[in-house]
Amino acid sequence: MNILIADDSKMARKIVIKTLNDLLVDKKFDIYEACNGEEALQIYINNNINIVFLDLTMPVMDGFEALKRIKEYDKSAKIVVVSADIQKVSMDKVRELGAIDFIKKPINCDKVKLILNKIFN
């Protein structure tokens, strides 16, 4: 399984990676990291990514545009937005663009576990 984590904050990426390592102890997976939406899109296109954890506020290309373009490339992409932007308009927009779920920062391990269970079952 290949997991892409796109966030301009290295610390935020580390927290998601630690959470995944804690939750997926019995699964083999590789992590890809991107620090902006453009990198995320290119990594998604060039690798067999199974799940994307995507921040909204990033330089070069924001998470909204990256979500839109990844879904245009692959309508079945599994994208989970991880953001501190919890405004209803933002949450509604990412759902309209095709995100499967939304996790507010700081990341909640139980919420990630629920989402992973939903994806794998």
Side-chain angles (χ1 to χ4, degrees), residues 34-80:
C35 61
N36 64 62
E38 180 63 34
E39 281 184 9
L41 177 62
Q42 292 308 313
I43 290 170
Y44 191 90
I45 289 170
N46 294 317
N47 298 280
N48 187 21
I49 301 296
N50 303 99
I51 304 169
V52 180
F53 290 88
L54 181 69
D55 187 21
L56 292 179
T57 306
M58 295 186 288
V60 183
M61 178 191 297
D62 67 22
F64 294 107
E65 184 66 21
L67 171 60
K68 178 182 166 196
R69 293 177 68 179
I70 290 171
K71 291 299 279 189
E72 286 173 352
Y73 175 78
D74 178 6
K75 292 189 183 327
S76 65
K78 293 177 178 64
I79 302 172
V80 178

Side-chain angles (χ1 to χ4, degrees), residues 54-118:
L54 181 69
D55 187 21
L56 292 179
T57 306
M58 295 186 288
V60 183
M61 178 191 297
D62 67 22
F64 294 107
E65 184 66 21
L67 171 60
K68 178 182 166 196
R69 293 177 68 179
I70 290 171
K71 291 299 279 189
E72 286 173 352
Y73 175 78
D74 178 6
K75 292 189 183 327
S76 65
K78 293 177 178 64
I79 302 172
V80 178
V81 171
V82 181
S83 179
D85 181 357
I86 56 169
Q87 297 178 66
K88 185 177 181 328
V89 66
S90 298
M91 295 172 80
D92 289 347
K93 185 173 180 180
V94 298
R95 285 192 178 95
E96 286 173 18
L97 291 171
I100 61 172
D101 217 321
F102 190 102
I103 300 172
K104 71 176 184 176
K105 291 181 179 176
I107 192 166
N108 176 306
C109 190
D110 291 337
K111 175 78 172 179
V112 176
K113 187 174 183 179
L114 284 173
I115 291 169
L116 292 174
N117 283 337
K118 187 166 62 175

